[in-house]
Amino acid sequence: MILVTGGTGLVGSHLLYKLVSNGKNVRAIYRRKKTLKRVKHVFSYFSNEADKLFNKIEWIEADINDVPKLQHAFVNITNVYHCAAFVSFEPDKYKQLRKINIEGTANIVNLSVAYEVNKLCYVSSIAAIGHNEDEQKLINEKTAWNAEADNSVYAITKYGAELEVWRGSQEGLNIVIVNPGIILGAGYWNGGSSGNLFKKVYNGMRHYVTGITGYIYVFDVIDAMIELMASDIRNEGFILVSENLSFKDFLQKVAKELGIEPPKKEAKPWLLGLAWRLDWLTHKIIGKRRSISKQNAKSAHSITQYDNSKLIKTLNFQYTKIDYAIDKVCQLYLKDLEK
């Protein structure tokens, strides 16, 4: 039986759809019952039998930091997809990020070892990959992480989580790690998900930024994970990026598909510098949640281009074009608006 953590998230819900559609026996973890409706909603995008597919999943209420409950989830499990994570770039959320991303991952690794799981796939992020001093040089899986760099709190904890997974490999656990870029998928239009970008564009964005980063369609992430788990590949990490694209180009493509005017004013570095300082000051004075950090402001104008060739060469993998992914996600966003 397969265990999926983070089953009610963007990656987890799409993974569950693919696994049960392929006839796999699946157990999934959830923390709050109300989040289960998100999974059904995602299933309904792609099937007229969403309830039937959803009911094939064995759901267990558990938290990845609640080891006793997790132990029940691991009974008779052969493979684990660890998708659960906390996504936040707010500096004051560091302790919570550590608790979920690092300590929670350590618990999953420890139980995978204890229950002699065959293989574990960990969903990390390109945030946990190092950067090159030369912005024109492609970042690959061997690019060294620099602990002294001004890394975001999210990046630090995802890198720390990877160290726990690699530790598990030293204890005899077969693992694969995937590092997706910005994942484009539907159903999660709020919070830290990339779906929020589609919502913001639709509601009207005035400014764009010129930074470059990697993007990938959610089903490419899922297909890569499943293929890697089915293969003999172990103890390897893979960057998952379909295309490197500027934020400006991405926003323009989304705006076009949504039939909305794209943002036309560039947010200059000095403006973002002022924005994150004011954001910090507001947080300190009245306790308002942070909306932009120093690291966010910096990355908005940084050029980070990723080499996706390892997965292509290893699995003969074919990525979906980002234009297609944007079109599909926009269609589903507009469909949700009609409801």
Side-chain angles (χ1 to χ4, degrees):
M1 178 172 274
I2 296 169
L3 176 66
V4 176
T5 73
T8 60
L10 175 65
V11 173
S13 60
H14 285 79
L15 173 63
L16 287 172
Y17 171 76
K18 202 65 175 284
L19 290 173
V20 294
S21 295
N22 291 340
K24 302 297 183 182
N25 293 321
V26 182
R27 182 180 296 154
I29 294 172
Y30 73 96
R31 288 193 303 119
R32 296 186 300 274
K33 194 170 184 178
K34 65 179 182 180
T35 60
L36 294 176
K37 63 182 180 181
R38 298 178 189 169
V39 183
K40 285 186 180 181
H41 186 58
V42 168
F43 283 21
S44 71
Y45 287 147
F46 314 110
S47 173
N48 293 323
E49 298 183 323
D51 286 340
K52 182 179 179 181
L53 289 172
F54 179 87
N55 291 332
K56 290 182 178 181
I57 302 166
E58 180 186 336
W59 289 98
I60 291 186
E61 184 179 2
D63 188 292
I64 59 173
N65 281 301
D66 186 342
V67 175
K69 283 190 177 180
L70 277 180
Q71 288 176 326
H72 294 295
F74 270 83
V75 175
N76 297 324
I77 292 298
T78 57
N79 294 285
V80 175
Y81 290 92
H82 180 32
C83 309
F86 178 42
V87 181
S88 175
F89 296 90
E90 300 173 68
D92 59 305
K93 295 291 192 294
Y94 179 62
K95 289 184 178 180
Q96 189 177 355
L97 282 159
R98 282 194 62 89
K99 184 70 176 176
I100 297 172
N101 294 345
I102 299 179
E103 294 179 31
T105 297
N107 292 332
I108 297 299
V109 168
N110 292 340
L111 288 170
S112 295
V113 172
Y115 282 82
E116 299 181 345
V117 166
N118 293 337
K119 201 170 185 179
L120 179 146
C121 176
Y122 174 57
V123 183
S124 186
S125 166
I126 53 171
I129 301 288
H131 288 177
N132 293 317
E133 290 186 11
D134 180 359
E135 290 186 333
Q136 299 306 315
K137 184 178 179 181
L138 292 179
I139 297 167
N140 61 33
E141 290 81 359
K142 294 182 180 180
T143 304
W145 168 267
N146 181 5
E148 302 301 318
D150 189 17
N151 300 299
S152 71
V153 287
Y154 174 69
I156 291 169
T157 58
K158 291 298 281 187
Y159 178 74
E162 284 194 17
L163 294 181
E164 292 294 340
V165 177
W166 287 117
R167 186 258 305 168
S169 73
Q170 296 300 308
E171 296 178 15
L173 178 64
N174 295 325
I175 64 101
V176 287
I177 295 175
V178 294
N179 296 83
I182 295 178
I183 303 172
L184 306 182
Y188 296 78
W189 311 117
N190 300 307
S193 169
S194 65
N196 194 34
L197 290 173
F198 291 82
K199 180 179 180 180
K200 286 183 176 180
V201 172
Y202 184 82
N203 289 334
M205 291 182 69
R206 295 173 58 192
H207 294 86
Y208 64 85
V209 291
T210 57
I212 295 175
T213 193
Y215 296 81
I216 184 169
Y217 188 34
V218 65
F219 278 116
D220 279 355
V221 178
I222 303 311
D223 290 343
M225 292 164 63
I226 291 175
E227 288 187 42
L228 286 169
M229 287 290 274
S231 72
D232 293 329
I233 298 163
R234 59 188 178 93
N235 305 339
E236 295 277 355
F238 295 86
I239 288 173
L240 305 185
V241 165
S242 172
E243 297 174 37
N244 296 299
L245 197 65
S246 73
F247 294 118
K248 179 182 179 181
D249 287 345
F250 171 75
L251 295 175
Q252 288 180 334
K253 289 175 183 292
V254 172
K256 180 181 178 182
E257 293 300 329
L258 292 176
I260 300 295
E261 281 291 313
K264 295 182 178 180
K265 294 182 180 180
E266 180 184 353
K268 300 288 186 180
W270 68 265
L271 182 61
L272 289 176
L274 177 62
W276 78 257
R277 287 174 172 87
L278 289 175
D279 185 70
W280 173 85
L281 185 61
T282 304
H283 170 74
K284 288 295 182 182
I285 295 174
I286 64 174
K288 182 181 177 182
R289 286 190 62 177
R290 297 289 301 274
S291 60
I292 181 171
S293 68
K294 178 183 177 182
Q295 293 77 21
N296 289 144
K298 181 181 177 181
S299 66
H301 284 278
S302 65
I303 298 174
T304 50
Q305 302 188 83
Y306 296 88
D307 181 356
N308 64 6
S309 62
K310 182 177 179 180
L311 185 71
I312 294 172
K313 293 174 182 176
T314 303
L315 295 178
N316 194 27
F317 194 84
Q318 293 186 336
Y319 284 101
T320 302
K321 294 292 185 181
I322 288 301
D323 283 355
Y324 176 88
I326 290 173
D327 174 58
K328 290 299 179 183
V329 176
C330 286
Q331 286 182 30
L332 293 173
Y333 179 75
L334 294 174
K335 181 180 178 181
D336 279 349
L337 284 180
E338 295 173 358
K339 295 180 179 179

